[in-house]
Structure formats: C-alpha cells, structure tokens
Amino acid sequence: MLGIFSSSIVSPPDELVAAGSRTPSPKVTADKLLERFLDANCSAISVKVGDDVQLAYSHRNQSVLLPRSFAVKDEIFCLFEGALDNLGSLKQQYGLAKSANEVLLMIEAYKTLRDRAPYPPNHVVGHLEGNFAFIVFDKSTSTLFVATDPKAKVPLYWGITADGYVAFADDADLLKGACGKSLASFPQGCFFSTAIGEIRCYENPKNKIKAVPAQEEEIWGAKFMVEGPSIVAATK
C-alpha cells in the first residue's frame, strides 16, 4: 500500500530532512513514485483525493493472513493491512454490522476519535489487538492518522520525495528508490497524527520519540526510538 501527501497536509519530518541532507542520494518526485508503484502492480487501484493526496494499493504478493484493504466513508479514506484478533468485540463496541471488516472498523474508530475530542488517540489504537498498519486520511479536516502494531508484523516505512511529499508504504525498496536517505522504518507501536503534529508511542504516550542517525551501510537515513526509563528500540 502507498500513501503520498503534500506538505500542505503533513510537514516533512525534520529528522528525515536532516537524514537526506547528511547523505545526499537520488530521489524522484511523488508522481514518479506513484507511477513506479502502478507499473510494478498491474492490478493496483489508485485514488486521488484533491490536489494533495494520492492513495494506492494492490493485492499482489499480499499475505493470506495479513490482507490489504481500502474503504472510504463520509470523506474518510483508509488503507489497512493486517488482521485484528479482537475484531468481533470491537465491532460490537462500535456498533458495526457483523460483516464489517478491519478497514471499516478503523474508519469508525477514527470518527470516534475525531467527534469525541479530546478523546485520546492512544486509546483508539491501544485497543487494537493483532498485526496491522494503517493510513487514515480525513478529507473534511485534512487530517492524517497513521499507526502500526507493537510488534511491527506488518512493516511500514516513510520518507520524503524529491518534491517534498511525505510518502508511506509497506515496501522499503519502493521508497528507497524514491526518497534516498530521507527514509525510515515507521516505529512499531506508534501513531502519527497531523492533529497532534508529532509521532507518539500509544503504549507510553508521554515518552518522547527520538530519531538517531542510521549507520552509513543501512538503507535508512534515521531510526526512531521510544525514550523512557529504559530506551526501547522502535524499529527493527
């Protein structure tokens, strides 16, 4: 799955900007990144949301146990990859039909977060049990919400394209070719919301997230870590 967002939606993270500056490397534009994704996935579906957002996904090479899905409802767009172990109980909690899947659940969970402010975002993702990564974009408020599970069973990466767009994808090689060293693994057990303006660990939301430069031989430009009494690595 792939989500591309202009700087009017999300400001490029300073840590990734700095990583790209330390080690200059080839990049391509957001349009070229999307083109590469579509060329590599002939059955891919892409959706353009206004002038600032591109979303795309494909079922190619997906895990049977961790499928990809997409849905849009009430101008809320969601890309979801993975499976929730407690989907049944969450559907009851949110009043959804028995036929509802993970992607529809996430849209409903996000609506609860948005409409019941100041409902803590960590409560929404903290109740999810299973292996997952998702991207939610609310067109009505231009809000982006991204999260991964605590064990990072579903990989997610983010980077900055040549023209300053922030891209999220489950394919590291795809982003490496587009973002150069302005690239990192999205920290496991964390969420990013433009409504908050920063990335946080949802198990320990008060702990700060620290970015450290990656080793020269690594494909990443930076690694994000969760700080606390004992620092726990948030990337594999």
Side-chain angles (χ1 to χ4, degrees):
M1 63 180 180
L2 175 66
I4 306 173
F5 304 88
S6 77
S7 57
S8 67
I9 302 297
V10 52
S11 298
D14 292 339
E15 299 88 347
L16 297 185
V17 173
S21 299
R22 281 192 301 271
T23 310
S25 51
K27 296 183 178 183
V28 300
T29 64
D31 286 344
K32 186 63 177 180
L33 170 59
L34 178 63
E35 180 183 324
R36 287 181 177 180
F37 179 86
L38 297 177
D39 287 345
N41 301 276
C42 58
S43 61
I45 296 173
S46 65
V47 177
K48 185 175 183 180
V49 187
D51 296 326
D52 300 302
V53 177
Q54 290 274 8
L55 302 172
Y57 77 102
S58 169
H59 295 299
R60 179 175 174 267
N61 294 332
Q62 74 176 8
S63 166
V64 175
L65 300 178
L66 302 172
R68 304 183 190 101
S69 53
F70 170 79
V72 55
K73 180 181 179 182
D74 299 330
E75 294 195 313
I76 301 172
F77 297 75
C78 181
L79 284 167
F80 188 97
E81 183 171 349
L84 297 177
D85 298 332
N86 60 337
L87 178 61
S89 61
L90 289 174
K91 285 192 289 188
Q92 290 182 328
Q93 177 181 331
Y94 288 103
L96 296 175
K98 291 183 178 180
S99 59
N101 60 5
E102 282 87 351
V103 70
L104 292 175
L105 172 76
M106 281 316 309
I107 289 176
E108 197 62 35
Y110 169 79
K111 287 175 64 179
T112 299
L113 168 66
R114 181 193 65 185
D115 299 339
R116 296 183 186 177
Y119 194 75
N122 56 294
H123 285 192
V124 173
V125 287
H127 292 159
L128 305 178
E129 299 175 6
N131 304 320
F132 61 86
F134 65 79
I135 300 168
V136 172
F137 177 68
D138 183 351
K139 183 181 178 183
S140 65
T141 61
S142 295
T143 299
L144 174 65
F145 190 69
V146 181
T148 61
D149 71 78
K151 296 181 180 179
K153 293 295 185 180
V154 178
L156 187 66
Y157 312 94
W158 58 337
I160 306 172
T161 64
D163 48 350
Y165 282 64
V166 177
F168 298 83
D170 57 356
D171 185 340
D173 290 335
L174 176 71
L175 287 193
K176 172 60 179 174
C179 304
K181 283 288 187 176
S182 296
L183 171 68
S185 178
F186 192 87
Q188 61 201 57
C190 292
F191 69 89
F192 174 82
S193 170
T194 52
I196 297 175
E198 62 182 1
I199 189 169
R200 291 184 184 176
C201 171
Y202 53 81
E203 292 186 334
N204 299 287
K206 293 183 179 180
N207 291 2
K208 292 184 178 181
I209 309 296
K210 179 182 179 181
V212 297
Q215 298 297 318
E216 184 66 29
E217 65 273 12
E218 296 183 277
I219 68 170
W220 323 115
K223 288 186 175 182
F224 287 82
M225 316 283 285
V226 180
E227 291 188 312
S230 58
I231 297 179
V232 179
T235 59
K236 296 195 296 182

